[in-house]
Amino acid sequence: MNFSINLSLLTILLTPFFGGLLSYAGSALHRYVRNIFYIIFLALPFLELYPYFNNSVDFMPYATVFGYNLFLGINALSFTLLLLFTLMFFLAGIFLLFEFANKDESDLAVLEFMFLEGSVFGVLLAKDILTFFIFFELIAVFTYFLIQKGYSGSSKASVKYISWALIGANFLLAAIILLFTKVHNFGYTEIAAFLGNASPTFVVLVFAFFLIGILIEATIMPFHVWAPSAYSEAPDSVSVILSTVVKKTAIYILVVLAFSLFGLNLFLKIMPAVFNNSIVMYILQWMSALTIIIGTFIAIREEDAKSLLAWSSIAQSGYIVLGISLGTSLGVSGGLLHLINHSIFKGILFFVVGGVIYRTGTKKLSELGGLIKKMPVSFISMLIAIIALAGIPPLNGFSSKYLIYEALIEKKEPILLTIALLGGTGSFLYVYRLIHSTFLGQLSDKYTDVKEVPLLMQLPMLVLSILAILFGIFPSIPMNFVSKAVSYLGFEPIKYYLTGFPTQPGLHEVNILKISSTLIIGFVVSLLIFLLLPKAKRVDQLDNYYAGEKLVKETKYNYSFGFYSFFDDVLGSFSHLSIDKIYSNVEGLFKNVGDYLRKFYTGNLETYISYGVVAIVIFALIYVLGGVLW
Amino acid sequence: MVEKIVLVLTPVLAFFVGIFLVGFKRKMVARIHRRYGPPLHQPLLDIIKLLAKKENISHGVMFDLGPVIALGASILTVLFLPLPGFKLLTPYGDLIAFLYIMVIGSLGMALGAGESGNPNASIGIARALTLMLGYDLPFIIAGNTLILKYGTTSLFNLMNAQSNLHWNLFFLPLTAVAGFIATYGAMGEHPFDVVVAPQEVATGPMVEYGGKHLGMLMIDHAMHVYIETALFVTLFLGGASNIWIFILKQLGVVIVMTLVDTVLPRFRIENAVRYFWRWPTIFALLGLFIVYLGG
């Protein structure tokens, strides 16, 4: 084991905190000073991470608490995620400057944003449960502050978020205390060694507590209820971070717990197996499958652009956790690859929707439409993102979803595969609805003067779009990282080549370059046919066929509200089911109990004194009578 | 070398087979209606007429690109289906990849129709996508049954596994029926023609298209007829040893479909989806259950 003190790891961890303080101090001088510090310190982790491209640090003690060492470390898995998250923070950070440009709380937002990045780094670098717990809760705190700075409903959403985060924190704390009382150490290795020989009930209990705490942040059903409101009411740059970083951090912890701290063999040893899975993993698979299908169906019916993305994000985290919970090399690779890919395309979608809101001021889909001619760059970015999200080749969503599907086939799980594939079709519905209602259809008169977002705001979308295309055609680029991470977790990495995956056990060959080059040839051929024919004349959007009706500017028909309204009829009474309602029933129960208790706790001093008198009388009676009777 | 020539010629073949099937269908419908019907090559004449139109209208770049992407994607899709005796590009993608490749064309078409700004087109696409969610469920389950039974996802292997009359139609009848109904729905025949529905949404996605755009969409439609029938033949009717038998089997599928198509009215969209999620899905699940227990 490598116990040497390595200051640069600590530097990575402290850079965002230091940068946040420095930019906050800089804001006292001038906004530009703040922005320069901010951008520099957002970009700095790229440089600091570079030496760890091929190196890992197992354990680096950095502090001692009650005589126990706390450790930091970096490995292939956390390096990959650190790199990805640094990129997402950098891009979202640029976006944040525009979003908060004219608001008073911009200085505070910058500070909290940097601190949030530091907390995320802390979780990824942690090598003991205390460090992990502290930074994991710091994430919740800064996220809470940042959500509050969002749209009109954000104060309610942030309270909902912090309540759920606290429920999760309590479960995590319970698990950590349980572990600490037995192990008397915080380090991951000591805990893993202890768990190998612990009693089955103890292991299951601790894992269940950890799982609940993590699944709340990972938005897996039925612990997702905070996410839709928080994602849609948070500022746009924070929504990006919530969906691409905060959630993925929780999934990282899940991976570490399931494969490194506890281990699949341990689960198989102590609990009954169901279809070649330990029962915990099997339950997790079904929870994520339900997350996929329910999340997708709700996203189809959403009317608010950001709520739609929130539900889509919940559904996609179902894919990631489904892949990971399969516990095979193929499944975990697919899950981790989808984690990276999802961050990329969901990042684009939140940036584009944020840009549209920045220009038009509304996130209601029914109020938008026809913006393609006004915001072409945003349109192309969103087009790339939705193709990727729907899992259509040759963009990046395809390869990862493909791996997850093949992993399900390899595991012989036809029902889960059906759900996952149907979720893929369903995602096609809501992404089309999103792009149609924002960019296609008819342009409203309100938006005739709308311009494309400023160049610096286009930068995040463009960078991620290029990544989506690159990672799509060359899945070897992200696979390079993923396979290192997978072998760190103890799986045999799957084979891949530059532009696809060769035939191997459980996987049919897929060559994305062949698909994309054939697509391009087909496209060029049909484009040639199109161009050789007589040229078309451009007409106005009102120059349309309406079955005999004459249309004027004042009475336009833009089909946008209730795009899939007939889908409600298809689902029938199922569409009224809601996990939220169950929780509100529980909440109602607590309220009733509270109301009942309030009859005693009136807040009136005299009542309390009389309670005290009654109690003294009762105790005195017991004392006196006790002396008589016994 | 031969492989490469076949690779180039397959889309052309697919187009002509598709045109033949479309023409045959029109003739057959006419005969059921006791009309004489247009000649077999009428669809070809229609396409030539449309492509030769001097005046075309356009609603924007995406509107123009819609038919272009749809046709380009159809060329790609055809090459990922095995042709009798030739693997074409099937070694580079399997059934799962094929399902996603098939969607590219629909996406192009949907984007193009969306830019026209005509509410009829938007309604048509909303219906098309909802219907897709309907027929995909039985089709996915049927596909999963085949994958589970044969332990392979390669279309070529799935086809070869059925040689010597070991057709899935005979050995997995429930799955084949579910697959047939799903394919039937994907072709948009009555009673599932909610997407085009001329009396309700004025041909839906195609409402604004005319001239060369519509001509290209008709080429794409012909290729789509080829793709859907060829997929069904490959998965359930044992493929074929030579191209003529293959076309004959496709013709058989079209004849059966037309017999149903001609005599039925139209579902409402929610009833259509509910139908797909009920009967074919139950058949497919039963088929899956049998294979799961047996294998």
Side-chain angles (χ1 to χ4, degrees):
Chain A
M1 239 182 277
N2 179 5
F3 264 101
S4 66
I5 293 275
N6 185 334
L7 277 178
S8 57
L9 269 188
L10 209 56
T11 326
I12 296 178
L13 175 59
L14 292 180
T15 302
F17 288 107
F18 188 62
L21 290 174
L22 211 57
S23 4
Y24 194 67
S27 64
L29 291 173
H30 195 272
R31 202 152 45 86
Y32 289 122
V33 181
R34 179 197 76 191
N35 291 357
I36 287 166
F37 277 130
Y38 175 63
I39 296 293
I40 288 175
F41 275 87
L42 279 176
L44 214 52
F46 285 120
L47 281 180
E48 294 167 345
L49 280 171
Y50 181 72
Y52 297 99
F53 186 75
N54 271 325
N55 298 319
S56 60
V57 177
D58 287 334
F59 290 96
M60 187 213 93
Y62 73 98
T64 311
V65 176
F66 306 133
Y68 301 107
N69 281 329
L70 300 184
F71 301 101
L72 294 182
I74 188 166
N75 52 55
L77 178 63
S78 51
F79 171 79
T80 307
L81 295 184
L82 277 170
L83 201 61
L84 178 72
F85 294 167
T86 309
L87 178 69
M88 297 311 304
F89 270 106
F90 181 68
L91 297 177
I94 297 174
F95 200 93
L96 182 128
L97 286 183
F98 283 92
E99 202 183 355
F100 282 90
N102 301 319
K103 291 186 188 168
D104 297 337
E105 67 240 287
S106 65
D107 299 334
L108 216 52
V110 163
L111 178 76
E112 285 156 8
F113 192 77
M114 294 294 288
F115 276 20
L116 178 61
E117 183 178 16
S119 321
V120 170
F121 283 6
V123 172
L124 289 169
L125 292 170
K127 274 285 175 183
D128 62 90
I129 42 174
L130 191 64
T131 313
F132 149 68
F133 179 74
I134 290 169
F135 284 109
F136 200 70
E137 295 318 315
L138 278 181
I139 293 180
V141 171
F142 294 122
T143 310
Y144 167 70
F145 288 143
L146 281 167
I147 292 174
Q148 272 191 334
K149 298 185 170 48
Y151 294 88
S152 53
S154 61
S155 50
K156 208 176 164 193
S158 62
V159 170
K160 204 170 178 182
Y161 168 74
I162 198 72
S163 321
W164 275 94
L166 284 177
I167 293 172
N170 284 332
F171 276 104
L172 286 180
L173 192 62
I176 287 169
I177 290 172
L178 273 177
L179 275 176
F180 186 72
T181 49
K182 295 263 183 177
V183 191
H184 296 293
N185 207 322
F186 292 114
Y188 281 172
T189 22
E190 286 82 1
I191 290 169
F194 169 79
L195 286 170
N197 302 314
S199 77
T201 4
F202 180 77
V203 174
V204 173
L205 194 68
V206 170
F207 189 68
F209 280 180
F210 266 126
L211 208 55
I212 292 172
I214 288 161
L215 291 187
I216 287 174
E217 289 282 355
T219 66
I220 294 295
M221 285 182 189
F223 305 111
H224 66 285
V225 281
W226 61 270
S229 58
Y231 281 44
S232 62
E233 297 298 339
D236 302 317
S237 43
V238 178
S239 300
V240 175
I241 294 302
L242 275 175
S243 170
T244 64
V245 175
V246 173
K247 172 187 293 191
K248 307 299 161 60
T249 313
I251 293 172
Y252 161 80
I253 291 298
L254 176 67
V255 171
V256 169
L257 278 181
F259 303 126
S260 170
L261 216 59
F262 286 79
L264 290 177
N265 294 331
L266 178 64
F267 290 143
L268 274 177
K269 201 174 74 183
I270 59 168
M271 52 183 94
V274 190
F275 300 109
N276 298 326
N277 292 299
S278 56
I279 196 158
V280 167
M281 286 295 159
Y282 195 67
I283 292 171
L284 205 55
Q285 285 166 24
W286 271 96
M287 275 163 76
S288 25
L290 288 179
T291 309
I292 292 175
I293 202 72
I294 298 173
T296 306
F297 279 7
I298 296 178
I300 291 171
R301 299 160 62 228
E302 273 305 332
E303 291 294 336
D304 175 303
K306 286 186 75 182
S307 297
L308 188 150
L309 290 182
W311 280 106
S312 146
S313 189
I314 291 170
Q316 297 294 320
S317 63
Y319 279 100
I320 300 170
V321 176
L322 179 60
I324 287 166
S325 59
L326 286 173
T328 58
S329 167
L330 211 53
V332 178
S333 308
L336 290 179
L337 190 59
H338 201 60
L339 190 157
I340 297 172
N341 287 340
H342 175 252
S343 291
I344 290 170
F345 58 68
K346 194 49 64 66
I348 305 177
L349 286 175
F350 271 115
F351 283 134
V352 173
V353 167
V356 169
I357 297 169
Y358 181 76
R359 283 301 194 208
T360 63
T362 179
K363 53 185 178 141
K364 282 208 185 75
L365 284 171
S366 55
E367 289 177 7
L368 297 164
L371 290 172
I372 176 171
K373 294 183 181 73
K374 304 288 172 191
M375 306 172 84
V377 178
S378 300
F379 171 75
I380 292 167
S381 308
M382 188 188 261
L383 183 59
I384 288 169
I386 68 161
I387 295 175
L389 197 155
I392 298 171
L395 287 164
N396 67 348
F398 172 71
S399 52
S400 47
K401 275 193 182 176
Y402 184 78
L403 287 185
I404 294 171
Y405 296 146
E406 300 277 327
L408 285 165
I409 293 170
E410 189 197 25
K411 270 257 176 179
K412 295 207 190 312
E413 307 240 29
I415 300 290
L416 289 177
L417 176 62
T418 304
I419 294 175
L421 279 168
L422 193 71
T425 310
S427 66
F428 194 63
L429 264 77
Y430 66 71
V431 292
Y432 181 73
R433 199 264 149 102
L434 181 66
I435 199 167
H436 178 277
S437 295
T438 15
F439 290 105
L440 304 175
Q442 290 170 343
L443 183 71
S444 171
D445 286 342
K446 291 183 273 191
Y447 304 132
T448 39
D449 300 329
V450 166
K451 285 200 293 280
E452 181 60 89
V453 289
L455 205 63
L456 263 176
M457 262 171 116
Q458 291 172 26
L459 184 79
M461 316 172 193
L462 290 177
V463 169
L464 292 179
S465 302
I466 290 166
L467 282 184
I469 296 171
L470 265 184
F471 286 12
I473 299 175
F474 304 106
S476 51
I477 304 171
M479 273 311 288
N480 192 10
F481 293 98
V482 167
S483 65
K484 271 187 214 160
V486 168
S487 50
Y488 163 77
L489 292 170
F491 296 99
E492 195 191 334
I494 61 167
K495 294 194 217 54
Y496 60 92
Y497 52 82
L498 185 63
T499 61
F501 301 92
T503 304
Q504 51 195 296
L507 186 66
H508 185 278
E509 173 163 9
V510 64
N511 187 340
I512 297 159
L513 188 66
K514 286 267 183 201
I515 296 175
S516 43
S517 56
T518 318
L519 180 65
I520 289 168
I521 292 170
F523 183 73
V524 168
V525 168
S526 47
L527 192 66
L528 279 179
I529 298 175
F530 186 85
L531 291 179
L532 286 175
L533 296 167
K535 210 169 173 301
K537 186 179 74 182
R538 284 288 279 272
V539 294
D540 184 68
Q541 62 172 353
L542 288 178
D543 202 349
N544 262 351
Y545 172 77
Y546 288 98
E549 192 170 340
K550 176 99 176 75
L551 238 70
V552 285
K553 243 181 161 188
E554 288 74 38
T555 56
K556 272 188 292 199
Y557 292 133
N558 188 20
Y559 182 70
S560 186
F561 186 76
F563 201 75
Y564 297 114
S565 49
F566 30 77
F567 192 68
D568 286 355
D569 299 330
V570 175
L571 293 179
S573 54
F574 284 107
S575 58
H576 303 300
L577 293 179
S578 156
I579 301 175
D580 240 349
K581 276 184 198 157
I582 298 172
Y583 288 123
S584 357
N585 288 345
V586 175
E587 187 195 327
L589 181 77
F590 277 115
K591 268 193 185 141
N592 285 340
V593 172
D595 284 345
Y596 194 69
L597 285 178
R598 206 164 296 134
K599 286 182 183 161
F600 300 100
Y601 295 98
T602 52
N604 191 345
L605 193 63
E606 284 142 28
T607 328
Y608 290 143
I609 291 172
S610 53
Y611 286 158
V613 171
V614 170
I616 289 170
V617 169
I618 289 172
F619 282 123
L621 276 175
I622 291 173
Y623 184 75
V624 172
L625 290 176
V628 175
L629 292 177
W630 296 291
Chain B
M1 191 63 205
V2 179
E3 274 277 351
K4 275 184 185 158
I5 294 172
V6 172
L7 212 58
V8 175
L9 288 181
T10 305
V12 182
L13 172 91
F15 167 64
F16 280 106
V17 173
I19 280 288
F20 163 68
L21 294 175
V22 173
F24 185 88
K25 195 191 158 196
R26 278 179 74 172
K27 192 90 183 164
M28 193 176 154
V29 172
R31 289 302 165 90
I32 294 172
H33 290 163
R34 307 212 176 164
R35 289 185 281 118
Y36 183 75
L40 256 182
H41 62 284
Q42 184 63 41
L44 199 60
L45 297 179
D46 289 348
I47 289 172
I48 293 170
K49 179 201 77 177
L50 285 170
L51 292 182
K53 288 256 184 191
K54 276 190 185 141
E55 189 133 324
N56 298 301
I57 63 137
S58 161
H59 280 279
V61 179
M62 204 61 232
F63 183 82
D64 290 341
L65 285 181
V68 174
I69 294 174
L71 185 56
S74 287
I75 293 173
L76 166 75
T77 316
V78 165
L79 294 176
F80 272 84
L81 272 171
L83 201 66
F86 296 98
K87 287 185 170 180
L88 300 181
L89 292 179
T90 48
Y92 303 114
D94 60 355
L95 183 58
I96 306 278
F98 184 81
L99 286 179
Y100 277 96
I101 290 171
M102 264 201 335
V103 179
I104 304 176
S106 323
L107 178 69
M109 176 71 210
L111 289 171
E115 212 204 344
S116 71
N118 191 319
N120 287 322
S122 305
I123 295 171
I125 288 169
R127 287 178 172 200
L129 293 174
T130 313
L131 193 69
M132 184 166 88
L133 200 60
Y135 61 72
D136 254 15
L137 180 61
F139 194 80
I140 289 167
I141 301 175
N144 290 349
T145 313
L146 300 184
I147 291 170
L148 192 67
K149 182 173 161 72
Y150 296 107
T152 174
T153 53
S154 155
L155 279 166
F156 196 73
N157 295 345
L158 285 173
M159 183 172 90
N160 283 347
Q162 308 171 58
S163 52
N164 300 329
L165 280 179
H166 276 73
W167 296 6
N168 286 328
L169 181 65
F170 304 142
F171 287 82
L172 298 169
L174 286 171
T175 311
V177 167
F180 180 78
I181 299 176
T183 314
Y184 187 84
M187 303 259 289
E189 309 274 20
H190 289 92
F192 306 117
D193 63 334
V194 283
V195 178
V196 179
Q199 299 87 336
E200 296 167 23
V201 288
T203 69
M206 270 98 75
V207 59
E208 281 303 310
Y209 281 113
K212 63 173 177 176
H213 298 82
L214 189 59
M216 291 187 72
L217 284 179
M218 282 181 76
I219 299 176
D220 176 57
H221 174 68
M223 293 181 75
H224 228 261
V225 172
Y226 170 88
I227 292 164
E228 296 285 355
T229 49
L231 183 64
F232 186 76
V233 169
T234 309
L235 288 183
F236 296 102
L237 301 183
S241 51
N242 71 51
I243 183 69
W244 301 111
I245 297 177
F246 196 74
I247 296 172
L248 211 62
K249 283 182 179 173
Q250 286 178 296
L251 191 62
V253 175
V254 168
I255 288 172
V256 176
M257 285 183 171
T258 312
L259 286 177
V260 185
D261 174 45
T262 324
V263 294
L264 287 178
R266 185 184 304 137
F267 265 140
R268 276 170 52 185
I269 172 72
E270 54 264 33
N271 293 343
V273 176
R274 232 181 271 151
Y275 176 84
F276 280 123
W277 283 2
R278 195 167 297 153
W279 299 112
T281 305
I282 290 172
F283 289 151
L285 279 176
L286 278 176
L288 177 68
F289 191 61
I290 291 166
V291 168
Y292 200 82
L293 289 185

